[in-house]
Structures are given as structure tokens and as C-alpha cells.
Amino acid sequence: GAGVSQTPSNKVTEKGKYVELRCDPISGHTALYWYRQSLGQGPEFLIYFQGTGAADDSGLPNDRFFAVRPEGSVSTLKIQRTERGDSAVYLCASSPRRSGGSTDTQYFGPGTRLTVL
Amino acid sequence: GEDVEQSLFLSVREGDSSVINCTYTDSSSTYLYWYKQEPGAGLQLLTYIFSNMDMKQDQRLTVLLNKKDKHLSLRIADTQTGDSAIYFCAEVTDKLIFGTGTRLQVFP
């Protein structure tokens, strides 16, 4: 079956604009994660969904960042009033259930590269 | 706090062994993972080790865990040019915490 897909693959926007990044998880996976990877760094956790609800949003840097998963599958990460410091690769991952065990492997998408000019 | 550290670069000759090291700080981590990232591709899970194990071998990959020193290593035997990538270790407590990544370059 298909893996995790993310669209767009690249997004260039101007400072102050609003952007939406989309993630299509693997079918049937109940857990979905968003990470942000800045240049030369490892991915940093942003938010985790179990089903439709955000079970852990402790990684969101501020209230300009918001994510939804209204039907428990596709998720959208929304960034308001973008700043140059938001430029990064945004990664999405899904797993069959909550990670914490060896079988709860997170499968990652290719990411969306966001550039804020 | 949670902090996972790795050396930034490693360069090896094709056919030699590579050893990538990682230190972590959260002793409550249940699993420790190694991921591989190639340009333009998503993170690929290579292997993992449960925190009560000392060693795990999976084909060319050997993971060693020293829980006392909070040190994790990944050894790749007979390194190939296709192994060139960035390797991330990650610990999991209630979420995945990634290291900064080690860029492995394999030259002929």
C-alpha cells in the first residue's frame, strides 16, 4: 500500500502570509505526528493526534501554529503570519497506534520544505 | 531534560566498518531507534533496541547500548556507497526525541 504522503513538496511564501501543509497517513493508522526539521538539525516534535483529537501539542512553538485532523485520517498543519524562522522541512509520520513500543513504528513522509521570504 | 547528541560527520572507505555514536539523557527511555535519511526522502527506520538489552544484531547492523553511560552506537559492517546518508538516533519516552544527526560519507 501507499506510504505517508505530504503536499506540497515545496512551498515558498512571503513573511506574514498563511500556509497550510497537508499529510495523508497510511490507511488505517490511528496515530499521526508532525515534526519540524531545521537545516542541520534532527526532527523536532510538534504535535501528535490519536484519531481526531490532538493528544499532545506540547511541541507547537506558539499560537501561530495549529493542526487539525477532523476525520481521523488526513491532517493539515496551519501556520499563520509566517516568519522567516518558520522556514524548515515539516515532516509527518503515522503509526498504527501510539508509539512507545517497538511495534509502533512511525512511518515518515518525504516532508514539505517551507521557505518564508 | 531531554537531549540527544551525535557527532556531525563520519567518513569511511567502502568495505570498512562505520560506527556512529549517540548519547542521550533521559534514563526512562523505553526504546532507542536508529533512522536513516537520504536526500529528498523521508526518515527510514533502520533498527531499534529495547532499553533492557545490551546488543542487537540485524544483518550488517549492530546496535550497542550502554545504559549506565546513556551511550548508544550503530555499527555498519562492510559499508557501501549506498549507506551514505544522515543517521539519527532517537529516544522515546512519551514522544520521539531525535539527535542532531551524523552525516556518513562513504568513499571508494
Side-chain angles (χ1 to χ4, degrees), chain B residues 22-39:
Chain B
C22 170
T23 58
Y24 62 99
T25 57
D26 195 328
S27 58
S28 64
S29 296
T30 53
Y31 288 89
L32 294 131
Y33 296 84
W34 284 102
Y35 280 85
K36 177 182 181 182
Q37 188 174 43
E38 294 175 280

Side-chain angles (χ1 to χ4, degrees), chain A residues 38-59:
Chain A
S38 300
L39 191 63
Q41 301 294 318
E44 294 178 296
F45 170 81
L46 295 177
I47 187 169
Y48 150 65
F49 288 89
Q50 183 63 41
T52 60
D56 183 350
D57 64 358
S58 62

Side-chain angles (χ1 to χ4, degrees), chain B residues 1 8 16-17 28 41 45 64 67 69 72-73 81 83 87 93:
Chain B
L8 291 179
D16 287 351
S17 293
S28 64
L45 178 66
L64 295 178
K67 198 171 180 183
D69 294 337
L72 181 74
S73 68
T81 54
D83 295 325
Y87 290 80
T93 51

Side-chain angles (χ1 to χ4, degrees), chain B residues 10 12-21 34-36 46-47 56-64 73-88 102-106:
Chain B
L10 177 65
V12 300
R13 188 181 299 277
E14 189 174 21
D16 287 351
S17 293
S18 307
V19 179
I20 302 171
N21 294 301
W34 284 102
Y35 280 85
K36 177 182 181 182
L46 285 178
T47 188
K56 179 179 179 181
Q57 186 151 5
D58 184 359
Q59 300 182 332
R60 292 192 297 123
L61 306 178
T62 302
V63 179
L64 295 178
S73 68
L74 173 69
R75 178 178 181 269
I76 306 172
D78 186 26
T79 313
Q80 303 297 305
T81 54
D83 295 325
S84 295
I86 301 176
Y87 290 80
F88 292 94
T102 299
R103 182 179 295 275
L104 173 64
Q105 183 179 13
V106 184

Side-chain angles (χ1 to χ4, degrees), chain A residues 37 42 45 98 100-102 105 109, chain B residues 31 37 42 45 48 88 94-95 99:
Chain A
Q37 186 175 18
F45 170 81
R98 182 69 162 100
S102 65
T105 300
Chain B
Y31 288 89
Q37 188 174 43
L45 178 66
Y48 64 90
F88 292 94
D94 62 341
K95 58 177 74 74

Side-chain angles (χ1 to χ4, degrees), chain A residues 35-99:
Chain A
Y35 295 83
R36 178 169 70 175
Q37 186 175 18
S38 300
L39 191 63
Q41 301 294 318
E44 294 178 296
F45 170 81
L46 295 177
I47 187 169
Y48 150 65
F49 288 89
Q50 183 63 41
T52 60
D56 183 350
D57 64 358
S58 62
L60 294 178
N62 51 60
D63 61 6
R64 294 186 299 105
F65 289 74
F66 189 71
V68 295
R69 195 186 185 200
E71 297 178 359
S73 57
V74 171
S75 176
T76 305
L77 178 66
K78 308 181 181 196
I79 311 174
Q80 299 177 318
R81 304 183 303 280
T82 51
E83 299 178 356
R84 292 193 179 88
D86 298 336
S87 295
V89 176
Y90 289 82
L91 296 168
C92 176
S94 69
S95 71
R97 56 185 180 275
R98 182 69 162 100
S99 260

